Amino acid sequence: GQQLNQSPQSMFIQEGEDVSMNCTSSSIFNTWLWYKQDPGEGPVLLIALYKAGELTSNGRLTAQFGITRKDSFLNISASIPSDVGIYFCAGQRTSGSRLTFGEGTQLTVNP
Amino acid sequence: DVKVTQSSRYLVKRTGEKVFLECVQDMDHENMFWYRQDPGLGLRLIYFSYDVKMKEKGDIPEGYSVSREKKERFSLILESASTNQTSMYLCASSIQGLNEKLFFGSGTQLSVL
């Protein structure tokens, strides 16, 4: 199965900094998703994007569905220690089909 | 509170052993999935099921099988465990037609020695 290319693989930032990560694919997805995995837990859905060009926010998190439908971006503003974890992008080709996940971005926030 | 429960948090097995990983969900979801998580490789789909007694291969089914005798329970079976199956295993469920909204268990860290 195809993997999505997610970058960066890891980030070490200071509390209060903004964070950006992205996900790219060589083929089109009709839905893009961002999940977060807290240490010792399973991933949890943060944001779902259903339309090319769509920009959606969830608190300090903002995600965008790229207009080519081959990429997506996640921004976190004013990071806090509880933002620590692994962030996964995921793409879905058609409604109801299974997801393809990226490799994950490990985020560390220093207080 | 909705829940996906994996029977073991940590498991240590020997090469060649038959291993069962159990997953139960209390949300009456039709769809259930087994993923493995490895650093740098993300989440890779092993098997999934859209109904009782139904199963479909994912991207890396070799060395694994599954069982879904009841709607709420989905078991992953390693017929003869090998060291390259040492990994974090995650179970997930979703409502039929809403596979983008997966609910994950906390994972089982399996070590095969």
Side-chain angles (χ1 to χ4, degrees):
Chain A
Q2 180 190 352
Q3 286 285 101
L4 300 177
N5 298 310
Q6 189 171 343
S7 65
Q9 284 192 2
S10 60
M11 303 183 75
F12 297 84
I13 62 168
Q14 293 297 125
E15 184 175 358
E17 286 184 10
D18 297 342
V19 172
S20 290
M21 59 190 79
N22 67 78
C23 204
T24 61
S25 171
S26 58
S27 57
I28 288 171
F29 288 96
N30 284 323
T31 302
W32 282 92
L33 307 132
W34 288 92
Y35 282 78
K36 184 197 175 194
Q37 183 179 30
D38 287 328
E41 299 295 331
V44 173
L45 180 63
L46 296 174
I47 294 177
L49 303 155
Y50 297 98
K51 201 171 164 184
E54 180 181 353
L55 193 71
T56 297
S57 292
N58 178 3
R60 293 177 295 103
L61 277 61
T62 302
Q64 183 162 24
F65 190 143
I67 56 173
T68 65
R69 292 195 282 160
K70 293 182 179 181
D71 54 12
S72 181
F73 308 88
L74 178 69
N75 295 312
I76 306 172
S77 62
S79 59
I80 59 178
S82 62
D83 290 334
V84 163
I86 304 175
Y87 292 79
F88 291 102
C89 64
Q92 186 182 45
R93 293 194 190 288
T94 59
S95 177
S97 66
R98 62 198 207 197
L99 302 186
T100 299
F101 282 87
E103 302 99 332
T105 295
Q106 173 78 60
L107 178 64
T108 302
V109 180
N110 296 314
Chain B
D1 198 17
V2 296
K3 244 184 151 177
V4 178
T5 303
Q6 294 185 231
S7 55
S8 304
R9 187 76 181 93
Y10 298 96
L11 215 49
V12 180
K13 295 292 180 181
R14 296 211 174 273
T15 302
E17 276 193 74
K18 190 168 185 175
V19 181
F20 292 87
L21 301 184
E22 306 288 347
C23 176
V24 177
Q25 51 96 3
D26 64 2
M27 296 167 282
D28 202 35
H29 284 175
E30 290 80 12
N31 306 331
M32 296 189 76
F33 306 81
W34 275 106
Y35 289 88
R36 65 177 280 177
Q37 179 180 6
D38 300 286
L41 296 177
L43 304 179
R44 293 181 292 166
L45 182 62
I46 305 171
Y47 266 96
F48 60 101
S49 170
Y50 285 163
D51 201 353
V52 176
K53 299 209 187 278
M54 176 267 183
K55 61 183 178 184
E56 292 274 354
K57 291 180 180 179
D59 299 318
I60 52 164
E62 295 78 20
Y64 303 95
S65 62
V66 290
S67 173
R68 190 149 181 219
E69 296 295 318
K70 293 185 177 181
K71 189 177 185 180
E72 66 269 20
R73 186 180 296 270
F74 193 35
S75 304
L76 180 68
I77 303 155
L78 287 65
E79 294 290 340
S80 178
S82 62
T83 54
N84 63 13
Q85 292 178 310
T86 292
S87 185
M88 170 67 77
Y89 290 88
L90 290 164
C91 175
S93 71
S94 68
I95 296 172
Q96 186 176 24
L98 274 175
N99 283 348
E100 67 270 27
K101 295 185 179 175
L102 294 177
F103 293 84
F104 283 90
S106 298
T108 296
Q109 178 63 53
L110 173 66
S111 297
V112 183
L113 307 178

